[in-house]
Amino acid sequence: MAKALLEDKLTCAICLELYEDPVTLPCGHNFCGACIRDGWSHLEKACPECRAPFPDRAELRRNVALTDVLKVVRAESGPAPESPADPRADAGARCPQHGRPLELFCRTEGRCVCSACTVSECRLHERALLDVERQERENQLRAMREVTRQQATQAESQLQELQQQHSQIQSSACTLASRVSGKFSCLIQALEMRRDLVLRDIKVAETQALAQAQEEEQRLQGHLEAVTRFDRRIQGLLEQLDDRTFLQESQLLEPPGPLGPLTPPEWDADKQLGGLKECLSQLCGLLLDEGGPGRGPAEAADLVPLEAPGVLASVPSPVCPLRRKLWQNYRNLTFDPESANRHLYLSAQAQQVKHCRRPRGPAEQGSFELWQVQCAQSFRSGRHYWEVRTSNHSVTLGVAYPELARHKLGPHTDNIGRGPSSWGLCVQEDSAQAWHNGEAQRLPGVSGRLLGVDLDLASGCLTFYSLEPKIQHLHTFHAIFTRPLCPIFWLLEGRTLTLCHRPEASGLS
């Protein structure tokens, strides 16, 4: 107890520690030399305990006797025991200015301070113990957390309300589509009744015209083969190095006979259609009439075979807002005849392609050895959208860089999506597959034959849609497109693919 009382008497009133280099003021109070000098550097020169003034010309003198007593006390006490560390604070944290433990928090300056700071610069500031300040801060954080939780609850409520509105919109759109489908069903019934009568007459006329066309085609094919053989012989003579052989064989070379005029088959579409255009007007009135379902079916409309050149694919499905927005970037595309495989036949306007078993002739330079054809348009930047109609499944549509190989490199009959320079969607009978860089992702089956492609070069997105009976997102590729992209297609034998055109759309590359 005497030792504790002695240490209390030897404690500095400023730092609350044993004196370090103690000095004595004229009033008799003792302090650490560093503590009193640091305090007077910010405040007036007076005793911190009794407030007695310190003369201006006086000097602080070291208390030699007190210094010796402190040496004896420290020698007997040994190293001071470490105080238990606060589990929430760093026990080694000390004031960078005074080297003392940071035990207080200065609310005025917003920082941790030591006891010496409270005597000097923080003497008039609002201070608090670290534990008290932490408790208040924890209470503030808990209050803020409660507010954010309330905001989260409100956001969840608004999200649920938005989802309900989303469901209501879908339900309303479904009802509207059902009403429109009912009107079209009435129109289809009338068309089917008239169709059976008209198709029989068309079939007879078609058989006669095709027979004439086949005879003329055989004649032209024979002449073409003769011309081809003649061209090969001439090419062989031109490559002949021996002059004697060249001169002798060139005298024996005889060109094929004249081709003769082309005899076109007897086919008159206007004659076959007859008065169907008037029936089309009547059926349109049936479609727009609210009492249409109760009436009898009218005569059939103007139906043109799909294979006829120049026919634009129709769009019978209701137009949803998303599709109408995509139409803002619609592009009217045409096929590139020079790229078409020799089994692919193009219409006169290059808007339709059909895969036939019989080839058109020898392959042209630059055409695909695979069953593929690309479009004449290519896109370097911006956003572009187009639609195609397929006659059946087993077709592929996509985009490719110009360097896509024209020749067959493996067992596959197409190379769309088989490498890094192309992206494609393959439509099968019961499913679809998204191909790129030789990897395929299996997708659900495609219900309709009307498909849409949205290419956004700025954001690097290539999106495929099924548009019948309602618009459905099929797949989106995300990539960084570094070169111009060209639409490309593959189709199996017997399939037909038509590029849909819109009158107000652009066909620019």
Side-chain angles (χ1 to χ4, degrees):
M1 181 175 179
K3 179 180 178 182
L5 181 60
L6 179 60
E7 290 183 353
D8 182 63
K9 295 297 183 180
L10 298 177
T11 299
C12 176
I14 297 177
C15 64
L16 304 180
E17 299 287 344
L18 292 178
Y19 292 122
E20 290 287 346
D21 295 328
V23 295
T24 303
L25 302 185
C27 61
H29 293 116
N30 299 302
F31 301 95
C32 297
C35 292
I36 193 63
R37 290 188 182 91
D38 184 68
W40 284 353
S41 63
H42 302 282
L43 302 173
E44 59 179 352
K45 290 186 177 182
C47 176
E49 292 194 22
C50 65
R51 309 307 300 168
F54 185 78
D56 292 338
R57 297 182 179 180
E59 295 182 2
L60 290 174
R61 296 185 178 276
R62 182 185 179 200
N63 192 324
V64 179
L66 193 56
T67 300
D68 294 338
V69 172
L70 286 169
K71 291 181 180 179
V72 175
V73 171
R74 288 192 175 94
E76 293 180 355
S77 300
E82 297 182 357
S83 59
D86 187 347
R88 299 174 300 176
D90 183 6
R94 291 184 174 272
C95 178
Q97 185 176 359
H98 304 106
R100 304 186 183 280
L102 299 174
E103 300 171 341
L104 302 172
F105 184 80
C106 179
R107 293 177 176 175
T108 304
E109 298 184 3
R111 64 186 181 91
C112 297
V113 297
C114 67
S115 57
C117 294
T118 61
V119 178
S120 55
E121 60 264 25
C122 297
R123 183 172 62 88
L124 302 178
H125 295 173
E126 182 181 0
R127 303 180 298 275
L129 296 175
L130 291 180
D131 293 343
V132 175
E133 185 66 19
R134 180 186 176 92
Q135 184 64 37
E136 292 184 4
R137 295 292 179 92
E138 288 180 353
N139 294 337
Q140 293 176 1
L141 292 177
R142 290 190 179 94
M144 294 171 59
R145 185 182 184 186
E146 183 64 26
V147 172
T148 55
R149 286 183 174 179
Q150 293 177 359
Q151 294 177 353
T153 302
Q154 183 180 3
E156 291 176 355
S157 176
Q158 294 178 354
L159 179 60
Q160 184 178 3
E161 181 180 355
L162 184 61
Q163 291 174 348
Q164 292 177 354
Q165 295 177 359
H166 182 273
S167 301
Q168 292 175 357
I169 293 174
Q170 286 184 327
S171 176
S172 177
C174 182
T175 302
L176 182 60
S178 177
R179 291 176 55 191
V180 174
S181 298
K183 291 182 177 294
F184 273 93
S185 297
C186 181
L187 177 62
I188 291 173
Q189 291 175 4
L191 289 171
E192 289 177 348
M193 294 181 63
R194 183 65 178 174
R195 177 193 60 190
D196 296 338
L197 298 176
V198 176
L199 287 183
R200 285 184 296 179
D201 297 336
I202 294 178
K203 190 64 178 179
V204 174
E206 178 191 19
T207 303
Q208 296 175 355
L210 290 180
Q212 298 174 1
Q214 186 175 7
E215 293 178 0
E216 191 69 10
E217 182 180 353
Q218 291 176 354
R219 182 181 70 85
L220 294 175
Q221 189 69 28
H223 184 79
L224 180 61
E225 292 176 356
V227 171
T228 303
R229 289 194 299 270
F230 182 74
D231 181 75
R232 290 176 180 173
R233 292 186 63 185
I234 291 178
Q235 182 65 29
L237 287 176
L238 293 175
E239 296 176 355
Q240 178 61 250
L241 302 178
D242 184 64
D243 296 340
R244 180 180 178 183
T245 303
F246 173 80
L247 295 174
Q248 290 179 351
E249 294 187 1
S250 62
Q251 294 177 0
L252 302 176
L253 188 64
E254 295 183 2
L259 176 61
L262 176 66
T263 304
E266 297 180 0
W267 173 259
D268 188 352
D270 293 336
K271 181 179 178 181
Q272 299 299 324
L273 294 177
L276 292 181
K277 294 183 178 180
E278 182 179 356
C279 296
L280 176 62
S281 177
Q282 297 176 3
L283 290 175
C284 289
L286 174 65
L287 174 65
L288 299 176
D289 189 1
E290 290 294 335
R295 297 188 177 187
E299 294 183 344
D302 182 9
L303 298 180
V304 184
L306 181 62
E307 290 76 14
V311 178
L312 301 184
S314 60
V315 183
S317 59
V319 180
C320 70
L322 173 59
R323 189 176 176 198
R324 191 175 298 278
K325 181 179 180 181
L326 292 172
W327 281 354
Q328 298 176 2
N329 302 294
Y330 204 100
R331 300 291 179 262
N332 290 334
L333 305 180
T334 54
F335 293 113
D336 180 13
E338 296 181 358
S339 69
N341 177 271
R342 63 196 190 107
H343 288 271
L344 302 182
Y345 289 75
L346 303 183
S347 65
Q349 289 79 11
Q351 296 171 212
Q352 189 177 82
V353 59
K354 184 173 183 179
H355 187 160
C356 299
R357 179 185 295 271
R358 184 175 181 178
R360 293 181 282 106
E364 299 180 0
Q365 185 177 4
S367 64
F368 280 102
E369 185 181 357
L370 305 149
W371 297 338
Q372 296 176 185
V373 60
Q374 71 180 22
C375 287
Q377 295 79 11
S378 62
F379 306 111
R380 300 175 179 270
S381 61
R383 188 168 186 175
H384 312 275
Y385 175 76
W386 60 91
E387 295 178 356
V388 299
R389 179 172 290 279
T390 64
S391 62
N392 209 330
H393 57 79
S394 299
V395 298
T396 299
L397 54 157
V399 296
Y401 289 145
E403 67 265 24
L404 184 67
R406 293 293 196 269
H407 303 290
K408 188 175 181 181
L409 303 178
H412 303 289
T413 57
D414 75 300
N415 62 356
I416 304 176
R418 306 287 181 177
S421 60
S422 59
W423 296 258
L425 177 75
C426 180
V427 179
Q428 300 295 338
E429 182 176 2
D430 58 345
S431 65
Q433 293 179 340
W435 279 90
H436 175 61
N437 203 18
E439 298 180 0
Q441 180 178 349
R442 188 177 180 86
L443 306 173
V446 179
S447 57
R449 301 304 176 201
L450 185 62
L451 304 172
V453 183
D454 181 29
L455 174 61
D456 191 349
L457 293 167
S459 60
C461 294
L462 174 65
T463 305
F464 296 89
Y465 295 96
S466 173
L467 306 176
E468 291 180 343
K470 62 180 181 179
I471 190 167
Q472 175 188 0
H473 173 263
L474 298 177
H475 185 74
T476 298
F477 287 105
H478 298 277
I480 300 176
F481 303 116
T482 58
R483 291 180 294 282
L485 288 173
C486 181
I488 189 170
F489 306 89
W490 170 91
L491 54 160
L492 193 64
E493 180 182 345
R495 274 46 173 179
T496 302
L497 189 144
T498 305
L499 297 170
C500 303
H501 279 200
R502 291 184 57 78
E504 69 276 15
S506 169
L508 300 177
S509 299

